[in-house]
Amino acid sequence: MANSLRLEFTAASSEGAVNDGWGQATLYWNEEPYWHAGVLSDGRTRRIEWTWVDLLQWLAKNWLYLTNEQTLPLAWMNEVNDNLAKILDSAEEHWQGVSEERLDAEEIILLEYLNRHNLANALQGIYVPAVFWRRVGNEVVLYRENGVSMRVPLNPLLQHFEDIGSRMVEAWKESENPRVRLAIDQWRRRAELPLVTVLSISSGLEADEIRRIQGEQDAGEFWGTHSVTDMLNGQDTDMLAAARMSSHVLKPEAMTRLVGNIRSCESRQTPVLDELCNRLMEEAQAWHDWRPYDQAYALAEWLRRNIGLKDGSRVNPQEMLELWNVAVTDIDLDGADIDAVACWGLRGPAIFMNTSPEWRSQGVRRRASLAHEICHLLFDRKSALPVAEVLGGAVDPIAEQRARAFAAELLLPRTEAHATVQRANELIPACDELAAHYDVSRKIVTNQIKNSGVPLNARERAELDRWAGA
């Protein structure tokens, strides 16, 4: 059964209660009651009877953020813990030793972010457990108060809560209560926003940065959308996604160059890749609840098998992408800490490799970067990364963990690492052989040997670590 979050709502029956925005509701997490008022003697769940106009007003106020805010407001949040239900614990550790002025400023930013992403904050004067909501591509990651999380498809979830809002409006449309009238008006006008405001929330860039990057060009033309309504319905574009994932590392001039390259990228027909993806989706249904690296290993093994690679053969990611008609282009990103940018929405698929001198992707690093992008092309285009990806940017950590493990396994299967070390008389010559034969970095060789399960004593592990760092 697919993951789901569902609110079952009924307006109050008495005229006075309807006038004041009252109703009864239960929130179901995977069809299990999560917000409720207890259990009746016959086993049925008692609904919460309350002023549910609070929820309508909160949805109207925060709809922009629920539908478009995919970036975390503080850079360190990407590094310490992406579980929103536990982020305050991580914040306390992060703030140890920082100045009081910085702590106060960051605390306000963090609490404001959590307030607009926690559905429980909608209800005033009554306690319900937290439900944190964070959009990631074509999915929403939901977190319970205890940290348990699940991923649900974005569009059905948006449609459900939009339907709830519309039903509330219909139920209370005759109300004369000023607060109810205000909530209805706010819900109806939730899309009356300047385009630059929505672009800012979607990209993670300040409005002034948006204007600086696009220059004299029309905002809608530059970023690929003219419709606030479409964006509030979950629309994303290649350009906005790339900006969002790289906003913390790219200079404005490099951002303008990157977006311009994506805009000029033509849509490409990829029948071989599309056929692989279709076959993969059937196979991958069994992997849904697996850990990311287990999914990665299964995906790499599946791909090698389906493209006819023999055991011990070296993969050429560049040739594979050319066969699939995926464009691979070089771009100078002014020394940004980024390996590659890929797009596959209305444009591409295309991969832009960073060639700036400080971060040039060549040789084994280029091969690993291209293998990394192959994982996203195969596995993530329908879910976490529907239009673009930035290797080195702020990207869904689960998708990145899977792609890193996939790239290593595709380039150097653990079975081959295990067999080579097992038959070798000495460890380091075996490592050199693996690195040369499969054309991979020492880091990949080291990780694949360790992950292969081959027996290593303490001396050999230390020897392997020294070799990897040489």
Side-chain angles (χ1 to χ4, degrees), residues 65-66 69-72 77-78 81-84 113 117 131-137 139-143 150-151 394-397:
Y65 302 100
L66 298 176
E69 189 169 34
Q70 300 189 53
T71 57
L72 295 168
M77 291 175 67
N78 291 298
N81 188 345
D82 72 320
N83 190 319
L84 296 188
Y113 174 85
H117 286 273
V131 180
F132 294 99
W133 166 315
R134 182 189 176 196
R135 178 182 173 183
V136 179
E139 298 177 324
V140 174
V141 186
L142 299 166
Y143 304 90
M150 68 175 175
R151 290 177 175 241
V395 182
D396 176 26

mmCIF file of all heavy atoms in Angstrom, residues 65-66 69-72 77-78 81-84 113 117 131-137 139-143 150-151 394-397:
data_model
loop_
_atom_site.group_PDB
_atom_site.id
_atom_site.type_symbol
_atom_site.label_atom_id
_atom_site.label_comp_id
_atom_site.label_asym_id
_atom_site.label_seq_id
_atom_site.Cartn_x
_atom_site.Cartn_y
_atom_site.Cartn_z
ATOM 1 N N TYR A 65 4.838 27.911 0.961
ATOM 2 C CA TYR A 65 5.994 27.205 1.510
ATOM 3 C C TYR A 65 5.825 25.684 1.407
ATOM 4 O O TYR A 65 6.781 24.959 1.120
ATOM 5 C CB TYR A 65 6.218 27.622 2.963
ATOM 6 C CG TYR A 65 6.430 29.108 3.102
ATOM 7 C CD1 TYR A 65 5.382 29.940 3.506
ATOM 8 C CD2 TYR A 65 7.652 29.683 2.784
ATOM 9 C CE1 TYR A 65 5.565 31.310 3.603
ATOM 10 C CE2 TYR A 65 7.846 31.048 2.889
ATOM 11 C CZ TYR A 65 6.797 31.861 3.297
ATOM 12 O OH TYR A 65 6.970 33.216 3.377
ATOM 13 N N LEU A 66 4.623 25.200 1.640
ATOM 14 C CA LEU A 66 4.371 23.765 1.541
ATOM 15 C C LEU A 66 4.586 23.267 0.117
ATOM 16 O O LEU A 66 5.067 22.153 -0.094
ATOM 17 C CB LEU A 66 2.946 23.441 1.999
ATOM 18 C CG LEU A 66 2.599 23.772 3.454
ATOM 19 C CD1 LEU A 66 1.124 23.486 3.718
ATOM 20 C CD2 LEU A 66 3.473 22.998 4.421
ATOM 21 N N GLU A 69 8.834 25.469 -1.022
ATOM 22 C CA GLU A 69 10.083 25.612 -0.259
ATOM 23 C C GLU A 69 10.761 24.252 -0.100
ATOM 24 O O GLU A 69 10.331 23.415 0.700
ATOM 25 C CB GLU A 69 9.826 26.230 1.116
ATOM 26 C CG GLU A 69 11.122 26.582 1.844
ATOM 27 C CD GLU A 69 10.889 27.423 3.078
ATOM 28 O OE1 GLU A 69 9.854 27.236 3.753
ATOM 29 O OE2 GLU A 69 11.746 28.270 3.387
ATOM 30 N N GLN A 70 11.832 24.041 -0.877
ATOM 31 C CA GLN A 70 12.558 22.776 -0.823
ATOM 32 C C GLN A 70 13.943 22.926 -0.199
ATOM 33 O O GLN A 70 14.618 21.931 0.067
ATOM 34 C CB GLN A 70 12.696 22.182 -2.227
ATOM 35 C CG GLN A 70 11.365 21.890 -2.898
ATOM 36 C CD GLN A 70 11.533 21.109 -4.182
ATOM 37 O OE1 GLN A 70 12.169 20.065 -4.215
ATOM 38 N NE2 GLN A 70 10.959 21.623 -5.263
ATOM 39 N N THR A 71 14.387 24.152 0.002
ATOM 40 C CA THR A 71 15.693 24.378 0.615
ATOM 41 C C THR A 71 15.536 24.561 2.117
ATOM 42 O O THR A 71 14.532 25.084 2.598
ATOM 43 C CB THR A 71 16.365 25.632 0.028
ATOM 44 O OG1 THR A 71 15.493 26.756 0.209
ATOM 45 C CG2 THR A 71 16.650 25.454 -1.445
ATOM 46 N N LEU A 72 16.540 24.120 2.855
ATOM 47 C CA LEU A 72 16.581 24.369 4.289
ATOM 48 C C LEU A 72 17.164 25.759 4.517
ATOM 49 O O LEU A 72 18.074 26.180 3.803
ATOM 50 C CB LEU A 72 17.414 23.302 4.982
ATOM 51 C CG LEU A 72 16.810 21.885 4.894
ATOM 52 C CD1 LEU A 72 17.827 20.844 5.347
ATOM 53 C CD2 LEU A 72 15.544 21.780 5.708
ATOM 54 N N MET A 77 22.053 22.889 8.323
ATOM 55 C CA MET A 77 20.968 21.913 8.448
ATOM 56 C C MET A 77 21.116 20.785 7.426
ATOM 57 O O MET A 77 20.643 19.666 7.648
ATOM 58 C CB MET A 77 19.617 22.601 8.280
ATOM 59 C CG MET A 77 19.237 23.526 9.420
ATOM 60 S SD MET A 77 17.697 24.448 9.121
ATOM 61 C CE MET A 77 16.486 23.129 9.129
ATOM 62 N N ASN A 78 21.762 21.076 6.298
ATOM 63 C CA ASN A 78 21.992 20.033 5.291
ATOM 64 C C ASN A 78 23.027 19.019 5.753
ATOM 65 O O ASN A 78 23.086 17.903 5.231
ATOM 66 C CB ASN A 78 22.463 20.671 3.981
ATOM 67 C CG ASN A 78 21.377 21.469 3.303
ATOM 68 O OD1 ASN A 78 20.345 20.945 2.927
ATOM 69 N ND2 ASN A 78 21.611 22.772 3.155
ATOM 70 N N ASN A 81 21.529 16.939 10.212
ATOM 71 C CA ASN A 81 20.387 16.044 10.399
ATOM 72 C C ASN A 81 19.209 16.614 9.628
ATOM 73 O O ASN A 81 18.712 17.675 9.956
ATOM 74 C CB ASN A 81 20.041 15.944 11.887
ATOM 75 C CG ASN A 81 18.986 14.889 12.163
ATOM 76 O OD1 ASN A 81 18.307 14.429 11.245
ATOM 77 N ND2 ASN A 81 18.851 14.503 13.412
ATOM 78 N N ASP A 82 18.754 15.894 8.621
ATOM 79 C CA ASP A 82 17.651 16.427 7.813
ATOM 80 C C ASP A 82 16.291 16.011 8.359
ATOM 81 O O ASP A 82 15.274 16.296 7.758
ATOM 82 C CB ASP A 82 17.783 15.971 6.351
ATOM 83 C CG ASP A 82 17.473 14.497 6.178
ATOM 84 O OD1 ASP A 82 17.882 13.699 7.034
ATOM 85 O OD2 ASP A 82 16.823 14.157 5.185
ATOM 86 N N ASN A 83 16.237 15.317 9.504
ATOM 87 C CA ASN A 83 14.968 14.932 10.109
ATOM 88 C C ASN A 83 14.396 16.134 10.854
ATOM 89 O O ASN A 83 14.886 16.516 11.910
ATOM 90 C CB ASN A 83 15.174 13.750 11.062
ATOM 91 C CG ASN A 83 13.863 13.153 11.528
ATOM 92 O OD1 ASN A 83 12.910 13.866 11.819
ATOM 93 N ND2 ASN A 83 13.819 11.840 11.603
ATOM 94 N N LEU A 84 13.338 16.712 10.316
ATOM 95 C CA LEU A 84 12.816 17.954 10.881
ATOM 96 C C LEU A 84 12.304 17.769 12.301
ATOM 97 O O LEU A 84 12.314 18.706 13.095
ATOM 98 C CB LEU A 84 11.703 18.512 9.988
ATOM 99 C CG LEU A 84 12.116 18.941 8.583
ATOM 100 C CD1 LEU A 84 10.957 19.643 7.883
ATOM 101 C CD2 LEU A 84 13.324 19.869 8.623
ATOM 102 N N TYR A 113 10.866 28.608 10.210
ATOM 103 C CA TYR A 113 10.789 27.550 9.204
ATOM 104 C C TYR A 113 9.960 26.379 9.716
ATOM 105 O O TYR A 113 9.065 25.879 9.015
ATOM 106 C CB TYR A 113 12.198 27.073 8.843
ATOM 107 C CG TYR A 113 12.209 25.887 7.916
ATOM 108 C CD1 TYR A 113 12.121 26.049 6.534
ATOM 109 C CD2 TYR A 113 12.289 24.589 8.415
ATOM 110 C CE1 TYR A 113 12.115 24.950 5.680
ATOM 111 C CE2 TYR A 113 12.284 23.483 7.573
ATOM 112 C CZ TYR A 113 12.198 23.670 6.213
ATOM 113 O OH TYR A 113 12.171 22.584 5.379
ATOM 114 N N HIS A 117 6.108 24.682 8.495
ATOM 115 C CA HIS A 117 6.151 23.325 7.934
ATOM 116 C C HIS A 117 5.602 22.272 8.893
ATOM 117 O O HIS A 117 5.724 21.077 8.612
ATOM 118 C CB HIS A 117 7.587 22.967 7.532
ATOM 119 C CG HIS A 117 8.041 23.673 6.292
ATOM 120 N ND1 HIS A 117 7.808 23.186 5.029
ATOM 121 C CD2 HIS A 117 8.690 24.853 6.130
ATOM 122 C CE1 HIS A 117 8.300 24.026 4.136
ATOM 123 N NE2 HIS A 117 8.847 25.043 4.775
ATOM 124 N N VAL A 131 3.334 17.134 12.729
ATOM 125 C CA VAL A 131 3.492 16.541 11.401
ATOM 126 C C VAL A 131 4.298 17.542 10.583
ATOM 127 O O VAL A 131 3.762 18.554 10.125
ATOM 128 C CB VAL A 131 2.150 16.262 10.700
ATOM 129 C CG1 VAL A 131 2.407 15.647 9.320
ATOM 130 C CG2 VAL A 131 1.276 15.344 11.527
ATOM 131 N N PHE A 132 5.586 17.284 10.431
ATOM 132 C CA PHE A 132 6.444 18.169 9.641
ATOM 133 C C PHE A 132 6.387 17.743 8.178
ATOM 134 O O PHE A 132 6.387 16.557 7.863
ATOM 135 C CB PHE A 132 7.880 18.129 10.153
ATOM 136 C CG PHE A 132 8.039 18.688 11.530
ATOM 137 C CD1 PHE A 132 8.106 17.850 12.638
ATOM 138 C CD2 PHE A 132 8.109 20.058 11.733
ATOM 139 C CE1 PHE A 132 8.247 18.368 13.913
ATOM 140 C CE2 PHE A 132 8.252 20.586 13.003
ATOM 141 C CZ PHE A 132 8.317 19.740 14.099
ATOM 142 N N TRP A 133 6.367 18.740 7.319
ATOM 143 C CA TRP A 133 6.152 18.543 5.878
ATOM 144 C C TRP A 133 7.307 19.202 5.139
ATOM 145 O O TRP A 133 7.551 20.391 5.277
ATOM 146 C CB TRP A 133 4.824 19.187 5.519
ATOM 147 C CG TRP A 133 4.456 19.425 4.092
ATOM 148 C CD1 TRP A 133 5.225 19.944 3.097
ATOM 149 C CD2 TRP A 133 3.167 19.197 3.509
ATOM 150 N NE1 TRP A 133 4.516 20.057 1.935
ATOM 151 C CE2 TRP A 133 3.240 19.599 2.152
ATOM 152 C CE3 TRP A 133 1.966 18.704 3.981
ATOM 153 C CZ2 TRP A 133 2.152 19.531 1.279
ATOM 154 C CZ3 TRP A 133 0.880 18.642 3.124
ATOM 155 C CH2 TRP A 133 0.979 19.034 1.791
ATOM 156 N N ARG A 134 8.036 18.429 4.331
ATOM 157 C CA ARG A 134 9.113 19.006 3.525
ATOM 158 C C ARG A 134 9.059 18.440 2.118
ATOM 159 O O ARG A 134 9.195 17.234 1.915
ATOM 160 C CB ARG A 134 10.488 18.724 4.141
ATOM 161 C CG ARG A 134 11.614 19.372 3.332
ATOM 162 C CD ARG A 134 12.986 18.941 3.778
ATOM 163 N NE ARG A 134 14.003 19.526 2.908
ATOM 164 C CZ ARG A 134 15.257 19.102 2.839
ATOM 165 N NH1 ARG A 134 15.656 18.096 3.589
ATOM 166 N NH2 ARG A 134 16.112 19.675 2.016
ATOM 167 N N ARG A 135 8.863 19.317 1.158
ATOM 168 C CA ARG A 135 8.845 18.867 -0.233
ATOM 169 C C ARG A 135 10.263 18.528 -0.704
ATOM 170 O O ARG A 135 11.210 19.278 -0.459
ATOM 171 C CB ARG A 135 8.261 19.949 -1.140
ATOM 172 C CG ARG A 135 8.268 19.518 -2.614
ATOM 173 C CD ARG A 135 7.748 20.582 -3.552
ATOM 174 N NE ARG A 135 7.942 20.146 -4.942
ATOM 175 C CZ ARG A 135 7.634 20.879 -5.995
ATOM 176 N NH1 ARG A 135 7.124 22.090 -5.833
ATOM 177 N NH2 ARG A 135 7.844 20.403 -7.210
ATOM 178 N N VAL A 136 10.395 17.399 -1.406
ATOM 179 C CA VAL A 136 11.657 16.992 -2.038
ATOM 180 C C VAL A 136 11.310 16.504 -3.436
ATOM 181 O O VAL A 136 10.858 15.378 -3.621
ATOM 182 C CB VAL A 136 12.364 15.877 -1.246
ATOM 183 C CG1 VAL A 136 13.652 15.459 -1.952
ATOM 184 C CG2 VAL A 136 12.670 16.329 0.182
ATOM 185 N N GLY A 137 11.469 17.376 -4.428
ATOM 186 C CA GLY A 137 11.149 16.995 -5.799
ATOM 187 C C GLY A 137 9.679 16.709 -5.974
ATOM 188 O O GLY A 137 8.819 17.528 -5.630
ATOM 189 N N GLU A 139 8.074 14.469 -4.369
ATOM 190 C CA GLU A 139 7.619 13.799 -3.156
ATOM 191 C C GLU A 139 7.569 14.798 -2.006
ATOM 192 O O GLU A 139 8.147 15.887 -2.065
ATOM 193 C CB GLU A 139 8.564 12.649 -2.784
ATOM 194 C CG GLU A 139 8.642 11.541 -3.823
ATOM 195 C CD GLU A 139 9.640 10.467 -3.456
ATOM 196 O OE1 GLU A 139 10.701 10.800 -2.869
ATOM 197 O OE2 GLU A 139 9.361 9.299 -3.761
ATOM 198 N N VAL A 140 6.866 14.407 -0.948
ATOM 199 C CA VAL A 140 6.891 15.151 0.310
ATOM 200 C C VAL A 140 7.359 14.185 1.385
ATOM 201 O O VAL A 140 6.832 13.071 1.501
ATOM 202 C CB VAL A 140 5.513 15.721 0.678
ATOM 203 C CG1 VAL A 140 5.546 16.373 2.061
ATOM 204 C CG2 VAL A 140 5.051 16.734 -0.366
ATOM 205 N N VAL A 141 8.388 14.592 2.125
ATOM 206 C CA VAL A 141 8.835 13.802 3.275
ATOM 207 C C VAL A 141 8.075 14.314 4.489
ATOM 208 O O VAL A 141 8.109 15.504 4.804
ATOM 209 C CB VAL A 141 10.348 13.917 3.499
ATOM 210 C CG1 VAL A 141 10.780 12.966 4.608
ATOM 211 C CG2 VAL A 141 11.113 13.621 2.223
ATOM 212 N N LEU A 142 7.369 13.409 5.157
ATOM 213 C CA LEU A 142 6.580 13.740 6.343
ATOM 214 C C LEU A 142 7.239 13.118 7.565
ATOM 215 O O LEU A 142 7.702 11.971 7.513
ATOM 216 C CB LEU A 142 5.149 13.226 6.191
ATOM 217 C CG LEU A 142 4.355 13.810 5.020
ATOM 218 C CD1 LEU A 142 3.093 12.987 4.770
ATOM 219 C CD2 LEU A 142 3.991 15.269 5.290
ATOM 220 N N TYR A 143 7.271 13.878 8.662
ATOM 221 C CA TYR A 143 7.908 13.409 9.892
ATOM 222 C C TYR A 143 6.904 13.484 11.037
ATOM 223 O O TYR A 143 6.290 14.531 11.266
ATOM 224 C CB TYR A 143 9.113 14.284 10.260
ATOM 225 C CG TYR A 143 10.164 14.401 9.193
ATOM 226 C CD1 TYR A 143 10.108 15.408 8.236
ATOM 227 C CD2 TYR A 143 11.235 13.513 9.143
ATOM 228 C CE1 TYR A 143 11.079 15.526 7.260
ATOM 229 C CE2 TYR A 143 12.216 13.627 8.171
ATOM 230 C CZ TYR A 143 12.132 14.641 7.233
ATOM 231 O OH TYR A 143 13.096 14.754 6.267
ATOM 232 N N MET A 150 8.009 9.226 6.433
ATOM 233 C CA MET A 150 7.585 8.513 5.233
ATOM 234 C C MET A 150 7.572 9.498 4.076
ATOM 235 O O MET A 150 7.499 10.720 4.261
ATOM 236 C CB MET A 150 6.201 7.886 5.404
ATOM 237 C CG MET A 150 5.046 8.861 5.510
ATOM 238 S SD MET A 150 3.460 7.989 5.563
ATOM 239 C CE MET A 150 2.324 9.381 5.842
ATOM 240 N N ARG A 151 7.644 8.956 2.867
ATOM 241 C CA ARG A 151 7.593 9.752 1.648
ATOM 242 C C ARG A 151 6.286 9.460 0.930
ATOM 243 O O ARG A 151 5.913 8.299 0.778
ATOM 244 C CB ARG A 151 8.780 9.428 0.735
ATOM 245 C CG ARG A 151 10.104 9.931 1.276
ATOM 246 C CD ARG A 151 11.284 9.550 0.393
ATOM 247 N NE ARG A 151 12.496 10.167 0.903
ATOM 248 C CZ ARG A 151 13.243 11.033 0.245
ATOM 249 N NH1 ARG A 151 12.929 11.386 -0.995
ATOM 250 N NH2 ARG A 151 14.319 11.561 0.785
ATOM 251 N N ALA A 394 23.007 21.097 -2.840
ATOM 252 C CA ALA A 394 22.093 20.704 -1.769
ATOM 253 C C ALA A 394 20.989 19.833 -2.362
ATOM 254 O O ALA A 394 19.992 20.321 -2.872
ATOM 255 C CB ALA A 394 21.493 21.953 -1.109
ATOM 256 N N VAL A 395 21.190 18.522 -2.306
ATOM 257 C CA VAL A 395 20.303 17.560 -2.948
ATOM 258 C C VAL A 395 19.792 16.587 -1.897
ATOM 259 O O VAL A 395 20.438 16.364 -0.867
ATOM 260 C CB VAL A 395 21.046 16.801 -4.079
ATOM 261 C CG1 VAL A 395 20.135 15.839 -4.795
ATOM 262 C CG2 VAL A 395 21.640 17.800 -5.072
ATOM 263 N N ASP A 396 18.622 16.014 -2.148
ATOM 264 C CA ASP A 396 18.031 15.017 -1.267
ATOM 265 C C ASP A 396 19.103 14.022 -0.827
ATOM 266 O O ASP A 396 19.693 13.314 -1.653
ATOM 267 C CB ASP A 396 16.918 14.297 -2.020
ATOM 268 C CG ASP A 396 16.304 13.166 -1.214
ATOM 269 O OD1 ASP A 396 16.350 13.228 0.019
ATOM 270 O OD2 ASP A 396 15.778 12.215 -1.829
ATOM 271 N N PRO A 397 19.412 13.925 0.483
ATOM 272 C CA PRO A 397 20.521 13.086 0.938
ATOM 273 C C PRO A 397 20.333 11.608 0.647
ATOM 274 O O PRO A 397 21.314 10.891 0.415
ATOM 275 C CB PRO A 397 20.577 13.359 2.448
ATOM 276 C CG PRO A 397 19.236 13.925 2.802
ATOM 277 C CD PRO A 397 18.765 14.658 1.594
#
